[in-house]
Amino acid sequence: MRLYAVVAVGGFRRYATYRVETLAGAFTNTVFGFILAYTFTALWSERPHLGGYDLSQAVTFVWLGQALLMTCVMMGGGFEDELIERIRTGDIAVDLYRPADLQLWWLAGDLGRAAFHLLGRGIFPMVIGSFAFDLALPANPLTWVAFLVAVALGVVVSFAIRFMVALSAFWLMDGAGTAQITMLLGTFFSGMLLPLNIFPGLLGEVARALPWSSLLQIPADIFLGRRTGWDLVTAYAFQAAWALALLAAGRALQSVATRRVVVQGG
């Protein structure tokens, strides 16, 4: 496990070197936060308590989305692009023969990346948003801890989805199409555009049952105090179940891909 801890630290340091890009990204998140916050303000002034949120909670949801956008990679653009390229060029064969598990290696690096983005691109928009709007910030420190646990589980779910997307390049030769489709699904079904509680009827039920709800909707509801007690336990169980199922599916794909590489190499 020491190896993967080193990889995680390396992932953090790798993204920490892009200081100008981080500042630009944080600024962009803040600008879009203002645009969405004022849009939500107009919407909630016409439909108070839409989706069960008051105006303060709705605006807080916006800023949480901007804070977690890159942490949970809701719009794609993480390690999967690099992994797809390694598969396309054949360099993945070297990775598969190394004395390290491919999935754990990339997971460790992605956890380091997520930790950096939470600090580098997550805190700044939330601080600016809290000065400009009346945000519903938790008063109980345990709520913040519960929120961070949900974010960590969301990062793992996000990784597991993107890992399978990257491995699709073994059969499609180019995973760009799959990555684009996943990006659209993640943007819509994570709650990035609108909270999933607003979605009506069957669409809402399906959206909340999909794994992307683990990326924003569940952490946001925990942050806003809408999931406590047994509801908090079921939220964690939901995220953990999706994480384990998707990681297992990714490992199965990895095994099939490894056998394919070995056969072709032989």
Side-chain angles (χ1 to χ4, degrees), residues 50-90:
L50 182 62
Y53 299 112
D54 60 27
L55 177 58
S56 179
Q57 291 174 323
V59 173
T60 304
F61 193 102
V62 168
W63 289 103
L64 285 172
Q66 295 305 309
L68 298 181
L69 177 62
M70 285 304 298
T71 302
C72 293
V73 198
M74 285 175 275
M75 297 181 67
F79 75 93
E80 64 270 25
D81 294 337
E82 182 180 350
L83 183 52
I84 288 172
E85 181 63 17
R86 293 189 68 80
I87 294 172
R88 189 187 67 80
T89 60

Side-chain angles (χ1 to χ4, degrees), residues 8 92 135 179 198:
I92 191 66
L135 301 188
I198 295 176

Side-chain angles (χ1 to χ4, degrees), residues 53-218:
Y53 299 112
D54 60 27
L55 177 58
S56 179
Q57 291 174 323
V59 173
T60 304
F61 193 102
V62 168
W63 289 103
L64 285 172
Q66 295 305 309
L68 298 181
L69 177 62
M70 285 304 298
T71 302
C72 293
V73 198
M74 285 175 275
M75 297 181 67
F79 75 93
E80 64 270 25
D81 294 337
E82 182 180 350
L83 183 52
I84 288 172
E85 181 63 17
R86 293 189 68 80
I87 294 172
R88 189 187 67 80
T89 60
D91 292 339
I92 191 66
V94 178
D95 300 337
L96 292 173
Y97 281 111
R98 285 174 179 164
D101 183 79
L102 183 71
Q103 187 183 59
L104 289 178
W105 177 280
W106 287 99
L107 173 59
D110 200 54
L111 290 175
R113 174 209 57 78
F116 172 76
H117 277 139
L118 182 62
L119 298 174
R121 290 184 60 170
I123 294 178
F124 181 78
M126 284 295 295
V127 170
I128 298 299
S130 67
F131 282 117
F133 298 91
D134 180 23
L135 301 188
L137 302 178
N140 189 343
L142 292 180
T143 303
W144 289 88
V145 174
F147 165 71
L148 291 176
V149 172
V151 170
L153 289 170
V155 169
V156 176
V157 172
S158 173
F159 164 82
I161 294 172
R162 291 177 290 121
F163 185 71
M164 289 195 294
V165 167
L167 292 187
S168 70
F170 274 107
W171 294 272
L172 301 177
M173 298 306 296
D174 186 354
T178 307
Q180 286 289 331
I181 293 172
T182 306
M183 180 199 74
L184 294 174
L185 292 172
T187 303
F188 187 77
F189 287 113
S190 65
M192 189 66 204
L193 298 179
L194 282 172
L196 301 184
N197 294 342
I198 295 176
F199 291 7
L202 181 61
L203 175 60
E205 294 179 9
V206 171
R208 290 187 290 271
L210 292 174
W212 290 284
S213 65
S214 297
L215 279 56
L216 173 58
Q217 184 66 54
I218 290 178

Side-chain angles (χ1 to χ4, degrees), residues 23-36:
L23 290 174
F27 175 77
T28 302
N29 289 146
T30 303
V31 171
F32 276 98
F34 274 100
I35 294 172
L36 289 172

